[in-house]
């Protein structure tokens, strides 16, 4: 892809997690970048502002003749700036289309899957960046651009089949589960999307060996499995889990190819690390260098992010699907085996809550106590024939619905862990609780 230094790359919806990351990539490459979005503050804003990237409110007057426009996938063609850009016949890309063009400049390594995309992409980007020049685009809003990079690591989102714009050299698929019920008809529909993407991989497809849906896939490139079984191409053995993290050996073709320690918790992070080892091995990266880089990984934004106030531990996590909630609570049990776990969960989209209600009940029941917030909804949908009480009434371990103006019910707990989970504006509830807690400590 040829870049135009005399043009401004204008992002409609620049605060979106993928969009913010892509904007940072182009800025790092010396290109002029600007964008628009809602005025509401988001966690993706700080890196954009630190880079000096202008962010303005939506307005048709923002569009200029010297712009190349990149539009976020959350917006329809009726959005005012998108309509204006098309009326002006400006060069126009959807986010996933632009990323698809961008990756052709590098050895591209994507991460797809219903869960674990951001965590695995972040880990892969961190590890490879410490070994060779690596550009990356992560779904937590972080991105880095390097013109002469060897690798381009990116998150491949299955929503509305957007990842079909990508033809990567390598692709990791962490799992296939039913999600995005506002778009996909059923699980078979999701599998069909992953099948199409699998056929577009050029050098190697890495799949979790225990996932029955991934096992159905075929590809034109070689398929490698990773997991804990003897039948897996890359197998974790001699696993030890402690309150400091996990460590394991990796066996490939009957040989131990390396020993790895990760400061991460939960079985899912062992699997994510295995996938990173596998793709790195195919690129002939020394295992000792990989092991060195694993030790310093601090995690992606809003993925098991921890802070302590007084005698309370607070964890912030993006988990918004039953499988992700289970993984987050399991990780907390590993790190804090002797502490009470209090989950605070905000459902994200009415359609997901309705379609997966039983799964949410099962996963949240793994916490000691559960609190809920009202349903967030999203740009995609802001109503539905289900309420938060439909979830609250089924929970055996709580279900009190919190209001951001009154987080005092959480003040009754001491020497415990509070896990805030959700993909909406759950951080505002966390901030409100932290302020109360700080006042109590002071």
């Amino acid at each position: 892809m040829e870049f135009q230094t005399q043009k401004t790359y204008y992002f409609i919806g620049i605060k979106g997690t993928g969009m913010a990351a892509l904007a940072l990539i182009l800025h790092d490459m010396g290109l002029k970048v600007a964008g628009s979005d809602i005025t509401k503050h988001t966690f993706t804003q700080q890196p954009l502002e630190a880079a000096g990237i202008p962010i303005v409110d939506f307005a048709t007057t923002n569009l200029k003749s010297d712009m190349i426009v990149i539009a976020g996938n959350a917006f329809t063609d009726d959005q005012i700036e998108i309509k204006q850009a098309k009326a002006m016949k400006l060069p126009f890309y959807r986010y996933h289309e632009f990323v698809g063009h961008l990756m052709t400049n590098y050895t591209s390594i994507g991460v797809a899957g219903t869960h674990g995309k951001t965590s695995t992409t972040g880990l892969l980007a961190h590890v490879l960046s410490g070994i060779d020049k690596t550009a990356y685009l992560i779904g937590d809003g972080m991105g880095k651009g390097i013109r002469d990079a060897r690798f381009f690591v990116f998150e491949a989102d299955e929503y509305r089949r957007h990842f079909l714009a990508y033809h990567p050299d390598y692709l990791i698929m962490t799992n296939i589960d039913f999600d995005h019920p506002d778009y996909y008809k059923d699980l078979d529909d999701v599998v069909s999307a992953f099948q199409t993407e699998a056929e577009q991989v050029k050098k190697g497809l890495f799949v979790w060996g225990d996932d029955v849906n991934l096992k159905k896939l075929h590809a034109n490139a070689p398929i490698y499995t990773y997991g804990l079984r003897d039948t897996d191409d890359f197998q974790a053995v001699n696993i030890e889990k402690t309150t400091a993290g996990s460590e394991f050996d990796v066996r490939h073709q009957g040989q131990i190819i390396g020993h790895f320690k990760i400061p991460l918790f939960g079985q899912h992070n062992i699997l994510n690390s295995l996938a990173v080892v596998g793709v790195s091995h195919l690129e002939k990266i020394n295992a000792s260098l990989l092991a060195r880089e694993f030790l310093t990984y601090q995690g992606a934004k809003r993925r098991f992010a921890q802070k302590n106030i007084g005698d309370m531990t607070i964890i912030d996590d993006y988990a918004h699907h039953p499988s992700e909630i289970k993984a987050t609570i399991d990780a907390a049990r590993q790190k804090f085996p002797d502490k009470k776990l209090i989950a605070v969960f905000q459902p994200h989209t009415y359609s997901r809550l309705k379609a997966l209600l039983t799964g949410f009940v099962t996963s949240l029941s793994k916490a000691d106590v559960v609190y809920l917030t009202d349903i967030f909804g999203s740009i995609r949908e802001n109503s539905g024939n289900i309420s938060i009480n439909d979830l609250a009434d089924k929970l055996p371990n709580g279900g009190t619905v919190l209001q951001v103006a009154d987080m005092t019910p959480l003040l009754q707990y001491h020497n415990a862990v509070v896990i805030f989970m959700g993909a909406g504006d759950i951080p505002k509830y966390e901030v409100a609780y932290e302020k109360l807690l700080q006042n109590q400590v002071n």
Side-chain angles (χ1 to χ4, degrees):
M1 183 179 199
E2 292 294 325
F3 298 104
Q4 300 185 47
T5 56
Q6 75 279 15
K7 300 271 192 178
T8 296
Y9 289 80
Y10 184 78
F11 287 71
I12 299 174
I14 195 168
K15 295 183 187 178
T17 50
M19 291 283 279
L22 182 56
L24 290 169
I25 287 174
L26 299 192
H27 176 268
D28 285 347
M29 295 171 67
L31 300 171
K32 288 185 283 188
V33 177
S36 58
D37 215 313
I38 56 174
T39 54
K40 184 178 178 180
H41 192 274
T42 68
F43 74 91
T44 59
Q45 237 172 289
Q46 188 175 351
L48 294 170
E49 291 171 347
I53 295 172
I55 305 172
V56 296
D57 295 338
F58 295 127
T60 56
T61 52
N62 292 333
L63 282 299
K64 310 297 181 188
S65 59
D66 66 341
M67 288 180 168
I68 295 171
V69 177
I70 303 166
N73 290 326
F75 303 96
T76 68
D77 287 349
D78 289 332
Q79 198 268 356
I80 58 170
E81 289 188 338
I82 293 177
K83 287 172 70 175
Q84 181 68 14
K86 292 191 172 184
M88 294 172 65
K89 294 184 167 51
L90 298 177
F92 181 88
Y93 300 87
R94 284 291 181 172
Y95 163 81
H96 59 288
E97 295 170 339
F98 193 90
V99 174
H101 292 302
L102 177 64
M103 70 179 61
T104 59
N105 297 353
Y106 313 94
T107 295
S108 53
I109 308 172
V111 181
T114 315
H115 325 294
K117 289 187 294 292
T118 298
S119 298
T120 308
T121 309
L123 178 61
L124 181 62
H126 172 84
V127 168
L128 294 183
S129 293
I131 296 170
D132 209 334
K133 289 182 179 179
T134 302
Y136 55 81
L137 190 160
I138 309 173
D140 63 356
M142 294 307 297
K144 184 175 181 61
I146 304 174
R147 279 186 184 268
D148 61 343
R150 174 182 173 186
F151 299 112
F152 178 66
V153 173
F154 68 98
E155 189 167 326
D157 188 5
E158 77 279 5
Y159 184 61
R160 292 190 177 274
R161 287 176 163 81
H162 288 147
F163 62 1
L164 299 190
Y166 310 146
H167 293 71
D169 293 304
Y170 300 98
L171 186 65
I172 295 166
M173 288 185 176
T174 56
N175 44 59
I176 300 177
D177 209 342
F178 181 55
D179 197 9
H180 304 301
D182 58 322
Y183 172 75
Y184 286 108
K185 296 191 294 288
D186 51 28
L187 180 58
D188 288 341
D189 195 20
V190 182
V191 173
S192 74
F194 277 82
Q195 175 54 60
T196 304
E197 178 59 17
E199 293 170 17
Q200 298 181 174
V201 177
K202 298 174 184 175
K203 294 184 179 179
L205 176 64
F206 291 79
V207 301
W208 176 32
D210 275 8
D211 190 292
V212 294
N213 296 307
L214 288 173
K215 285 182 177 179
K216 299 174 185 176
L217 303 183
H218 55 84
N220 299 316
I223 297 178
Y224 304 89
T225 61
Y226 62 88
L228 310 183
R229 300 182 187 276
D230 292 342
T231 51
D232 288 315
D233 296 304
F234 292 89
Q235 180 192 11
V237 295
N238 306 322
I239 296 171
E240 290 186 35
K241 297 179 183 178
T242 70
T243 55
S246 304
E247 59 182 286
F248 52 92
D249 295 319
V250 176
R251 178 183 290 143
H252 175 60
Q253 294 181 339
Q255 303 292 320
I256 299 295
I257 62 172
H259 179 77
F260 303 92
K261 294 182 181 179
I262 54 173
L264 304 170
F265 302 88
Q267 190 98 309
H268 63 294
N269 276 314
I270 294 174
L271 294 170
N272 295 345
S273 303
L274 256 181
V276 172
V277 172
V279 72
S280 301
H281 184 78
L282 257 62
E283 278 293 300
K284 297 181 169 44
I285 292 174
N286 188 291
S288 63
L289 297 180
L290 279 181
R292 180 192 71 195
E293 297 303 322
F294 273 128
L295 291 173
T296 57
Y297 184 57
Q298 299 299 309
K301 281 186 185 177
R302 297 215 59 225
R303 270 66 178 184
F304 210 77
Q306 179 188 332
K307 66 175 66 172
N308 298 292
I309 299 177
D311 65 352
M312 295 298 294
T313 298
I314 301 166
I315 292 171
D316 178 37
D317 199 277
Y318 196 68
H320 57 282
H321 184 283
S323 297
E324 296 163 358
I325 291 168
K326 177 182 181 298
T328 299
I329 294 173
D330 286 349
R333 289 281 182 213
Q334 179 184 338
K335 189 170 186 181
F336 306 103
D338 302 321
K339 292 194 174 188
K340 176 175 278 192
L341 301 185
I342 300 105
V344 181
F345 174 61
Q346 180 188 58
H348 182 255
T349 76
Y350 293 83
S351 57
R352 181 184 283 117
L353 180 59
K354 184 176 181 180
L356 307 176
L357 184 62
T358 301
F360 281 119
V361 172
T362 301
S363 294
L364 288 168
S365 297
K366 292 183 174 295
D368 295 309
V369 186
V370 177
Y371 290 84
L372 302 170
T373 77
D374 287 328
I375 302 167
F376 176 71
S378 72
I379 290 173
R380 305 169 200 159
E381 55 174 52
N382 54 25
S383 64
N385 57 346
I386 190 167
S387 78
I388 192 62
N389 293 323
D390 291 307
L391 175 58
D393 292 345
K394 289 180 168 57
L395 289 171
N397 52 345
T400 299
V401 180
L402 295 170
Q403 301 300 322
V404 73
D406 182 15
M407 300 295 287
T408 55
L410 296 182
L411 293 178
Q412 65 183 293
Y413 302 103
H414 297 282
N415 194 31
V417 180
V418 183
I419 311 170
F420 288 85
M421 292 180 285
D425 61 1
I426 185 73
K428 75 181 184 184
Y429 293 85
E430 181 181 341
V431 169
Y433 168 59
E434 288 172 2
K435 286 180 180 176
L436 289 177
L437 200 57
Q438 199 66 60
N439 290 338
Q440 194 178 63
V441 170
N442 294 338

